[in-house]
Amino acid sequence: MKITRRNFVRLLGTTVGGAALASTGFSRVYEVPEKLLQNVKNGPGITAWESTICGMCPAGCGLKIKTVDGLPVYVKGNPNFPINSGGVCPSAHASLEVLFHPERLKGPMKRVGVAGENNFQPVSWDEALKIISNKLIKLRNEGNPERFAFLGSFDESLSMQVASDFTRSYGSPNFFKFSFDSNNNIAANLQTGINYSPTYDIPNAEVVLTLGANILETELSPVFYTKQVSQRKNDSEGRVKFIHVNSHQDLTGMFANLFVPIKHQTMAAFALGLAYVLIREEMIDLKFISAHTFGFENWRDSSGKMHEGFKDFILKNYFPEKVEKTTGVPSSTLIYVARMLGNNKPALVIGGDILNESTNGVYTQMAVNSLNAILGNYGKKGGVILFPKLKNSSNAFLDSTSKIGLQKITADSDSNKKINFSEFSIHNFINNVNSDLNYPIEILFTFKGNPLFQSLNKHDFGEALKKIPLVVSFDSFINESNIYSDLILPIDSYLEEWDVLSNAPGIPFQHAGIRQPIVERFHDTRLMADILIGLSKNIGEAPKKTFKVTTFKELMKLKMKQIYDTGLGAVSSEKIEGPWLEFIQKRGWHIGRYQSFEDFWDLLLENGGWWDPNTKPITTNKMFSTSTNKFEFYSKSLERAINSSSKDITTVLDDLNITARGDVVYLPHFEETKAAENKKLNMVMFRNNINRDGSNSNLPLLQEMFGIGIRYYWGTWVEINKLTARKNGVTDNDDIWISSELGNKIGRASCRERV
């Protein structure tokens, strides 16, 4: 049967809980345990508000959950939690649909039949864990712990630290995080040595330029960015200058003071064109460039060879008239934007996800970083600031088996010696498993997410999963990835679980949000961290010694006790300014005068978490971790990596699809992309906030909102500029044939009056 919206809702409504809910006024897509329903029907109607941390994405927003007689009924932002200050995105409002979803797994499932055919039958926890434990013991006893791999979600949670410690103590180097934004920091690492997201100080910038960065919708923390932009606009009495450049008119472009449309995948040329104007008109920070950068001017290496610097390269190649032909942006607009940056400092430039996904994305991000460097933005108020992360140190105990296993190359290492700067290469992982390269993976744990959904080559990923003898998925739902699993272990929804969330990307202070159960477990589910701690007791000496606790909640309390003992920061509820907090802490006082750690813990649960508004930024002198200890226009780390390959440089560059040669390879530059042959139009991919990585595809509320801008829901659409559509004979709601080397699809045309 074709699943239309009506059929989908009707199917959900046929469940016992769903049918019962109809009489209570709740949505029929909810399936609630009968006990809770009876409490609501017959109870005294006691209302309470509980604090927790959102689990719909890694941003770590604080939430307040309204309960009636123990039943969660409403979600809103926690006004006292510093990351979101009461704001939430649409995904948070769909939280209850996850909790009450009738398709949630209610107990462990074991695959029967062929992997990928979605045939599972219930199995007990004891049997499932025995299968896993026996396989882990056997693999380690055979001296092959590296053949175990863990593929998890991309966040900075304490549960992911448990997974990392479990994997390391077992003896495997194969702990991976997979996410749509996992490659964001490659360019920063090449030029600055920074391997995590900095803070963009929007409130103190006079001008903000976003290049492909949809910060109000799909970037690292849209709610946090929205608060920052709103604060800047309110504080400046309308003087804020907010410019957005993109090939697609998104929410950020609608909000900006100026939206600049640009040809897809030409953002690097535009950024370097801005650099041309800034350099030519002497609107750059020469003092910063002289003290803190390398490769701006021509330079001579230790052998006496002269190298071209960023300045001469830009002035030769990126004058406005040439950039106009490449990007489609009028040279007058380019010059206007550049002068806005140069004459209104501090001026901040932010690059976004769309840059990382283009074929020349790393060089484009390097161009954006270089703009910030010539403007002197690093370590400056209103610029790019780096704050120290809250330490989540590894507690993994290593025995001889662990140490030997950890010395092996990772399962995503490129056996052909190509250069890979990503934290995890799903392409290499798939290729190595399917080609029997390096060593076989015999056990794979996957946690949340849906990597096959996000992968470009779904067929090869499916084949790789079929080859692995034991695939275990920790998830709440069956999805495209875990239908290939041998076992699916159902985990708690985030409204039922414990966790600590810290180091949310781009946040300008240290923090630790407390996720706690708002309701007792609906089904026979467990915490992933508790499962791993339990397994560790029986699979080897090192894993057993790694975890000195029996439950994850105990580990959480130990983590927060460490924070309590520092005497720094405050429970997030306390309305107190940073300077006053710093004043009293210098005198040895705890803000709030907690009588004990237990008092502190109770306040954490009541209010949502801890933060330190006086987190000091890393100074400019200590900000760069490159070999030169400076920002590198000419990336020495990229040069070392390419020269270290066993292949000749030309072959390496060809493998990386880099057409440049000579010094240009190590400088930010624009690489032309080949247009698809025999194709009338090239497709530009974009995300929206409702379903960034596909993990929310099964939530009706979000599906109803997915195409709200074009009034097309529960399907795939293709937006086409009205003039372009007319030129190609396309009208609204026509079927569009989308073709690539990896497959074909039909989408519904939406001919809109926007780029």
Side-chain angles (χ1 to χ4, degrees):
M1 179 177 70
K2 182 179 179 181
I3 303 298
T4 64
R5 176 186 180 279
R6 180 172 296 182
N7 288 335
F8 186 73
V9 174
R10 185 171 70 246
L11 286 172
L12 297 182
T14 58
T15 61
V16 174
L21 275 176
S23 63
T24 67
F26 288 101
S27 166
R28 294 200 307 159
V29 302
Y30 287 179
E31 182 180 69
V32 183
E34 186 63 29
K35 178 182 177 180
L36 283 177
L37 284 175
Q38 293 304 319
N39 286 347
V40 174
K41 289 180 180 179
N42 305 319
I46 297 175
T47 299
W49 289 93
E50 306 289 345
S51 298
T52 193
I53 303 298
C54 186
M56 302 297 282
C57 83
C61 294
L63 299 182
K64 285 288 188 179
I65 312 296
K66 182 181 181 180
T67 63
V68 177
D69 293 333
L71 178 69
V73 296
Y74 184 71
V75 177
K76 71 175 184 178
N78 183 345
N80 293 326
F81 199 72
I83 290 179
N84 57 313
S85 303
V88 290
C89 73
S91 295
H93 288 294
S95 299
L96 297 183
E97 289 192 347
V98 177
L99 177 67
F100 297 128
H101 204 295
E103 293 181 354
R104 277 187 65 192
L105 295 169
K106 298 172 174 61
M109 305 293 286
K110 181 179 180 181
R111 179 173 57 79
V112 292
V114 179
E117 293 187 353
N118 195 14
N119 292 321
F120 293 90
Q121 65 182 17
V123 65
S124 70
W125 275 104
D126 287 344
E127 182 180 348
L129 295 177
K130 184 177 181 180
I131 293 171
I132 298 169
S133 182
N134 288 343
K135 182 66 175 176
L136 287 168
I137 292 170
K138 181 175 183 294
L139 195 62
R140 202 167 195 270
N141 288 343
E142 291 171 348
N144 297 312
E146 74 280 359
R147 298 185 181 185
F148 165 71
F150 186 100
L151 179 54
S153 61
F154 196 85
D155 63 37
E156 293 283 349
S157 63
L158 186 59
S159 61
M160 287 305 292
Q161 185 62 52
V162 167
S164 175
D165 287 349
F166 178 91
T167 305
R168 282 179 51 79
S169 65
Y170 184 78
S172 174
N174 297 314
F175 174 77
F176 305 121
K177 294 181 180 181
F178 180 69
S179 172
F180 65 88
D181 60 359
S182 59
N183 292 334
N184 282 4
N185 298 321
I186 296 175
N189 206 359
L190 290 176
Q191 292 182 294
T192 69
I194 301 169
N195 60 4
Y196 62 94
S197 300
T199 293
Y200 297 107
D201 188 12
I202 293 174
N204 291 303
E206 287 297 319
V207 175
V208 176
L209 171 64
T210 47
L211 297 174
N214 189 7
I215 62 173
L216 303 185
E217 190 171 15
T218 60
E219 292 296 327
L220 301 173
S221 183
V223 176
F224 179 72
Y225 280 134
T226 299
K227 294 287 184 182
Q228 284 204 313
V229 171
S230 299
Q231 176 185 341
R232 183 68 183 93
K233 210 161 191 178
N234 292 336
D235 291 349
S236 62
E237 299 178 353
R239 289 184 288 106
V240 68
K241 303 169 184 70
F242 187 10
I243 305 168
H244 184 60
V245 183
N246 208 352
S247 57
H248 175 258
Q249 174 70 294
D250 48 34
L251 183 62
T252 304
M254 296 175 187
F255 187 86
N257 302 114
L258 173 64
F259 172 67
V260 179
I262 189 173
K263 290 181 183 177
H264 183 51
Q265 294 192 345
T266 64
M267 201 78 74
F270 181 81
L272 297 174
L274 295 174
Y276 176 97
V277 178
L278 291 169
I279 294 171
R280 177 66 73 188
E281 299 192 0
E282 299 181 350
M283 295 184 289
I284 58 178
D285 190 333
L286 289 173
K287 184 177 179 181
F288 175 87
I289 292 171
S290 176
H292 300 293
T293 74
F294 169 80
F296 182 74
E297 302 283 357
N298 297 341
W299 58 283
R300 196 180 299 275
D301 64 23
S302 58
S303 68
K305 180 181 177 181
M306 183 63 71
H307 295 268
E308 185 174 35
F310 178 78
K311 175 183 174 181
D312 278 9
F313 172 67
I314 295 300
L315 294 180
K316 288 178 184 177
N317 295 283
Y318 292 98
F319 48 90
E321 292 77 13
K322 181 179 179 180
V323 171
E324 177 177 351
K325 291 180 180 180
T326 302
T327 65
V329 178
S331 58
S332 58
T333 301
L334 174 74
I335 294 170
Y336 171 78
V337 173
R339 288 174 176 169
M340 287 285 286
L341 295 175
N343 293 323
N344 298 276
K345 295 179 181 177
L348 177 62
V349 186
I350 304 174
D353 287 340
I354 193 69
L355 307 187
N356 299 292
E357 296 171 357
S358 63
T359 54
N360 52 15
V362 172
Y363 284 123
T364 305
Q365 284 283 16
M366 289 175 68
V368 173
N369 297 339
S370 298
L371 276 176
N372 280 313
I374 64 175
L375 290 167
N377 279 340
Y378 283 95
K380 183 199 299 185
K381 187 176 181 180
V384 183
I385 305 175
L386 195 66
F387 286 87
K389 299 174 72 173
L390 190 65
K391 292 183 179 179
N392 285 327
S393 56
S394 173
N395 294 311
F397 180 85
L398 305 181
D399 58 14
S400 58
T401 302
S402 308
K403 293 175 182 177
I404 293 172
L406 289 172
Q407 292 174 359
K408 301 293 179 67
I409 62 173
T410 59
D412 71 328
S413 295
D414 195 326
S415 300
N416 294 319
K417 303 299 182 183
K418 295 179 184 177
I419 308 300
N420 172 45
F421 293 101
S422 60
E423 296 179 11
F424 169 60
S425 172
I426 188 68
H427 173 79
N428 288 349
F429 180 81
I430 294 169
N431 181 65
N432 292 347
V433 172
N434 284 332
S435 304
D436 296 316
L437 298 175
N438 298 336
Y439 48 81
I441 294 297
E442 297 190 34
I443 307 174
L444 174 66
F445 286 3
T446 65
F447 174 61
K448 290 185 178 180
N450 192 350
L452 187 139
F453 179 90
Q454 299 178 61
S455 175
L456 292 177
N457 197 333
K458 295 174 173 54
H459 175 267
D460 286 355
F461 197 173
E463 292 302 306
L465 293 174
K466 287 180 181 179
K467 288 195 66 172
I468 299 173
L470 180 62
V471 179
V472 181
S473 170
F474 298 82
D475 214 319
S476 296
F477 299 96
I478 293 177
N479 58 36
E480 289 88 345
S481 297
N482 61 29
I483 59 173
Y484 291 91
S485 298
D486 299 280
L487 291 166
I488 304 179
L489 303 184
I491 56 175
D492 301 333
S493 79
Y494 85 82
L495 293 176
E496 301 165 313
E497 72 176 7
W498 290 101
D499 213 340
V500 178
L501 279 294
S502 59
N503 299 323
I507 303 302
F509 44 78
Q510 292 184 344
H511 59 279
I514 303 297
R515 186 176 293 159
Q516 63 176 315
I518 303 302
V519 64
E520 292 184 6
R521 292 185 174 111
F522 281 9
H523 310 298
D524 191 12
T525 59
R526 297 186 183 182
L527 277 174
M528 181 271 290
D530 275 337
I531 296 171
L532 296 182
I533 291 172
L535 285 171
S536 70
K537 306 303 181 185
N538 304 308
I539 61 173
E541 177 190 6
K544 183 178 181 180
K545 290 184 176 180
T546 293
F547 301 106
K548 299 178 175 60
V549 297
T550 56
T551 69
F552 180 62
K553 184 180 178 182
E554 294 175 63
L555 193 64
M556 281 181 61
K557 296 187 77 170
L558 289 175
K559 169 73 174 178
M560 299 314 297
K561 179 66 162 56
Q562 293 173 356
I563 291 175
Y564 170 81
D565 288 341
T566 67
L568 300 175
V571 173
S572 59
S573 66
E574 289 154 359
K575 297 290 188 181
I576 188 166
E577 297 296 327
W580 175 244
L581 180 61
E582 184 177 25
F583 173 80
I584 62 174
Q585 286 176 345
K586 283 181 177 178
R587 284 148 180 79
W589 303 341
H590 264 304
I591 178 64
R593 299 299 299 168
Y594 317 121
Q595 296 299 315
S596 65
F597 169 70
E598 289 303 325
D599 291 341
F600 177 70
W601 175 256
D602 290 342
L603 283 171
L604 290 174
L605 300 184
E606 179 182 346
N607 296 291
W610 167 94
W611 72 312
D612 185 2
N614 287 316
T615 305
K616 302 301 181 185
I618 297 173
T619 62
T620 306
N621 289 332
K622 297 180 179 179
M623 193 171 183
F624 305 117
S625 299
T626 59
S627 60
T628 60
N629 293 318
K630 296 180 178 182
F631 177 93
E632 295 183 348
F633 291 102
Y634 183 104
S635 175
K636 300 285 283 184
S637 59
L638 178 57
E639 181 184 45
R640 284 193 303 274
I642 290 178
N643 288 335
S644 68
S645 174
S646 59
K647 296 182 179 182
D648 65 273
I649 290 181
T650 299
T651 302
V652 172
L653 296 178
D654 287 342
D655 287 342
L656 293 170
N657 295 316
I658 296 174
T659 60
R661 293 296 183 267
D663 287 345
V664 180
V665 172
Y666 313 111
L667 292 167
H669 63 276
F670 171 67
E671 295 248 340
E672 293 277 1
T673 56
K674 294 180 180 179
E677 297 180 2
N678 302 319
K679 299 293 185 292
K680 288 187 175 181
L681 299 172
N682 288 329
M683 184 172 66
V684 178
M685 301 298 292
F686 69 94
R687 295 191 177 97
N688 77 26
N689 179 257
I690 305 304
N691 195 16
R692 289 190 283 183
D693 63 354
S695 59
N696 296 331
S697 299
N698 61 340
L699 304 181
L701 173 64
L702 298 185
Q703 282 293 332
E704 286 292 332
M705 300 175 66
F706 192 51
I708 194 168
I710 60 171
R711 301 172 185 265
Y712 184 73
Y713 319 101
W714 296 82
T716 301
W717 72 89
V718 181
E719 297 183 24
I720 305 178
N721 180 278
K722 205 165 188 176
L723 296 177
T724 305
R726 187 180 303 156
K727 180 180 178 181
N728 288 274
V730 178
T731 59
D732 230 17
N733 295 319
D734 281 353
D735 286 337
I736 300 294
W737 184 254
I738 306 166
S739 178
S740 79
E741 60 183 17
L742 297 177
N744 306 302
K745 188 175 180 63
I746 293 178
R748 184 71 57 84
S750 172
C751 307
R752 310 184 64 183
E753 292 185 350
R754 73 183 200 183
V755 177

